């Protein structure tokens, strides 16, 4: 079903105290996952009781209210969104919401062989697939439970289905996959898709000294890439938000560097997050939030919920706080915040 390009039903827009207009919301469809990536989860996880997670209907309602408030892009993430039972219904419902211009999914790729075609048919426009290594043993070590070949087959299926955009996401970790920056980029290039390298963020568990030791900076990743490829900086607006983009000369492949530590992108932050239990997070790096779920389940009208969101936006902080890689301040697992 094609996404509607008609306007939202109210002339409202979400503008925060610092003049930033919110046009992008990430919704976490679940906190559960079939992988246990070391930088994202502990080996033994306790997930939310099901009744605490927003139902698919609640997720769609929240999405509709945001779109009425001027949001144009939604990303469904998690946890692993594609393991949520019935989630295909959510994609179909979201694509039919008037005013939504872009529906994106972030996935670990484990389900894509069977699901990519349905996602495309539902109207999903772009997809990010996490891939940190091309080595099966390292893949197992990083994800603890994942199979590289399944994910590679999923990526090939996604490419064959023909999304508007596909991007690989790689978190680069010192001593684990920092020797694969070129190989991963060559792989994206061979498929004609994009790739982003993400600095590890100090969320969730840190080591005994309380530090995320594996952090590799975007500057180091850029130097490595620039030694091997001719890179052309992409013009704005591609440079808005947390990623800076370069194109590999003579190709369609763009490389993104996502730098929460070394590039403060807060001044152009146009996004909000809703966690699996319906908590509206104003900023990934701060704890400012409100429980939309409580208000939804109290029977509040769409207009009342819209007011809650507008009021909450006044709390959106000017900037996040994890600029110092050796000073993790936010200890929240990434799967819980909808990465
Ligand atoms: N399960 C899906 C996946 O892995 O793509 C979606 C959720 S995952 C939390 C979203 C993205 O966050 C992934 O690309 C993952 O690599 C990234 N991520 C998770 N923990 C991170 C961390 N501590 N620092 C930086 N990126 C992280
Ligand atoms: Fe699961 Fe994604 Fe977190 Fe890995 S990064 S454990 S795949 S939610």
């Amino acid at each position: 079903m094609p996404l509607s390009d008609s306007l939202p039903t109210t002339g409202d827009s979400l503008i925060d105290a610092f003049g930033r207009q919110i046009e992008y919301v990430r919704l976490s469809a679940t906190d559960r996952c079939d992988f246990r990536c070391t930088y994202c989860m502990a080996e033994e996880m306790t997930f939310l009781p099901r009744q605490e997670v927003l139902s698919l209907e609640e997720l769609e309602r929240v999405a509709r209210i945001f779109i009425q408030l001027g949001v144009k892009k939604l990303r469904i993430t998690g946890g692993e969104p594609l393991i949520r039972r019935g989630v295909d219904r959510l994609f179909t419902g979201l694509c039919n919401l008037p005013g939504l211009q872009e529906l994106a999914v972030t996935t670990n790729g484990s389900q894509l062989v069977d699901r990519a075609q349905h996602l495309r048919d539902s109207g999903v426009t772009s997809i990010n697939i996490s891939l940190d290594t091309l080595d099966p043993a390292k893949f197992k070590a990083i994800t603890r439970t994942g199979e590289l070949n399944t994910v590679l087959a999923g990526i090939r299926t996604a490419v064959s289905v023909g999304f508007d955009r596909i991007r690989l996401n790689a978190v680069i970790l010192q001593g684990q996959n920092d020797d694969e920056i070129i190989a991963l980029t060559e792989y994206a290039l061979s498929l004609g898709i994009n790739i982003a390298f993400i600095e590890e963020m100090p969320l969730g568990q840190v080591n005994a000294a309380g530090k995320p030791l594996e952090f590799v900076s975007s500057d180091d990743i850029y130097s490595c890439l620039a030694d091997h490829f001719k890179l052309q900086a992409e013009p704005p607006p591609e440079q808005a938000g947390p990623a800076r983009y370069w194109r590999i000369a003579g190709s369609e492949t763009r490389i993104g560097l996502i730098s929460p530590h070394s590039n403060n992108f807060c001044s152009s932050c146009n996004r909000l997050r809703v966690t699996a239990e319906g908590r509206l997070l104003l900023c990934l790096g701060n704890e400012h939030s409100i429980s939309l779920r409580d208000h939804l389940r109290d029977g509040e009208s769409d207009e009342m919920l819209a007011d809650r969101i507008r009021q909450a936006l006044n709390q959106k902080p000017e900037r996040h706080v994890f600029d110092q890689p050796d000073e993790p301040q936010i200890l929240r697992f990434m799967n819980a915040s909808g990465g």
Side-chain angles (χ1 to χ4, degrees):
M1 198 68 79
L3 289 179
S4 163
D5 57 4
S6 57
L7 291 171
T9 52
T10 75
D12 265 332
S13 59
L14 286 173
I15 299 180
D16 76 3
F18 303 96
R20 296 170 296 193
Q21 181 160 359
I22 305 303
E23 296 187 322
Y24 178 13
V25 172
R26 295 181 178 217
L27 286 175
S28 178
T30 178
D31 63 328
R32 290 168 197 248
C33 188
D34 48 344
F35 292 0
R36 295 285 184 278
C37 302
T38 51
Y39 50 74
C40 178
M41 291 194 187
E43 194 155 14
E44 299 296 328
M45 290 289 291
T46 306
F47 294 106
L48 293 165
R50 288 186 198 280
Q51 65 275 15
E52 290 186 16
V53 174
L54 291 190
S55 68
L56 295 173
E57 292 70 24
E58 287 171 329
L59 278 166
E60 189 175 324
R61 185 166 172 220
V62 167
R64 192 178 70 237
I65 294 168
F66 273 113
I67 293 166
Q68 286 169 348
L69 288 168
V71 166
K72 297 184 173 64
K73 174 174 175 181
L74 292 177
R75 176 175 298 283
I76 305 304
T77 179
E80 175 45 41
L82 301 187
I83 64 163
R84 170 104 193 235
R85 196 174 305 152
V87 78
D88 286 347
R89 265 193 292 134
L90 177 68
F91 291 118
T92 309
L94 294 178
C95 285
N96 286 321
L97 293 176
L100 183 63
Q101 292 177 4
E102 191 174 344
L103 182 60
V105 176
T106 302
T107 174
N108 64 22
S110 69
Q111 312 298 311
L112 280 177
V113 167
D114 297 330
R115 308 290 289 288
Q117 186 68 54
H118 184 274
L119 290 177
R120 187 61 186 130
D121 293 345
S122 307
V124 171
T125 45
S126 65
I127 184 161
N128 288 352
I129 308 167
S130 297
L131 181 71
D132 300 327
T133 173
L134 293 166
D135 176 318
K138 277 198 224 170
F139 190 87
K140 178 69 85 185
I142 293 173
T143 62
R144 294 197 183 102
T145 60
E147 292 297 334
L148 176 64
N149 282 337
T150 310
V151 171
L152 295 183
I155 293 170
R156 286 194 298 273
T157 309
V159 170
S160 70
V161 159
F163 291 95
D164 296 356
R165 277 187 304 289
I166 301 178
R167 187 181 90 186
L168 303 179
N169 278 349
V171 177
I172 297 298
L173 308 162
Q174 222 171 71
Q176 288 190 55
N177 63 349
D178 53 344
D179 57 345
E180 288 195 73
I181 294 168
I182 302 303
L184 286 164
T185 308
E186 296 278 11
Y187 177 67
L189 196 55
S190 73
L191 294 173
I193 61 178
N194 301 324
I195 183 163
F197 294 101
I198 308 175
E199 287 177 350
E200 187 193 16
M201 286 187 269
L203 303 172
Q205 280 188 329
V206 289
N207 72 8
K211 295 181 181 183
L213 266 189
E214 295 157 336
F215 168 78
V216 178
S217 80
S218 287
D219 286 349
D220 290 344
I221 296 171
Y222 177 82
S223 301
C224 172
L225 289 163
D227 282 347
H228 283 79
F229 301 103
K230 187 162 183 243
L231 302 178
Q232 299 167 330
E234 289 280 280
E238 303 298 344
Q239 306 295 20
R244 289 168 297 162
Y245 279 101
W246 287 264
R247 189 174 294 276
I248 300 181
S251 83
E252 288 302 305
T253 294
R254 294 190 309 152
I255 301 176
L257 296 179
I258 301 181
S259 327
H261 298 294
S262 49
N263 174 34
N264 192 289
F265 51 86
C266 302
S267 63
S268 61
C269 180
N270 66 348
R271 63 194 59 190
L272 297 174
R273 291 176 166 78
V274 179
T275 67
E277 80 268 49
R279 185 155 283 281
L280 174 64
L281 292 182
L282 283 311
C283 170
L284 188 58
N286 286 281
E287 292 293 353
H288 305 69
S289 68
I290 63 161
S291 172
L292 287 178
R293 186 192 66 199
D294 292 350
H295 298 303
L296 278 165
R297 293 185 182 173
D298 280 349
E300 293 196 357
S301 67
D302 285 5
E303 191 41 55
M304 289 161 89
L305 289 164
D307 275 343
R308 300 273 181 202
I309 294 169
R310 276 190 286 258
Q311 280 163 22
L313 196 60
N314 291 327
Q315 297 175 38
K316 186 171 166 66
E318 187 172 12
R319 62 196 301 277
H320 63 230
V321 291
F322 42 76
D323 285 1
Q324 300 302 318
D326 57 346
E327 289 178 13
Q329 285 149 38
I330 298 302
L331 300 180
R332 192 199 304 114
F333 286 115
M334 196 71 169
N335 70 306
S337 45

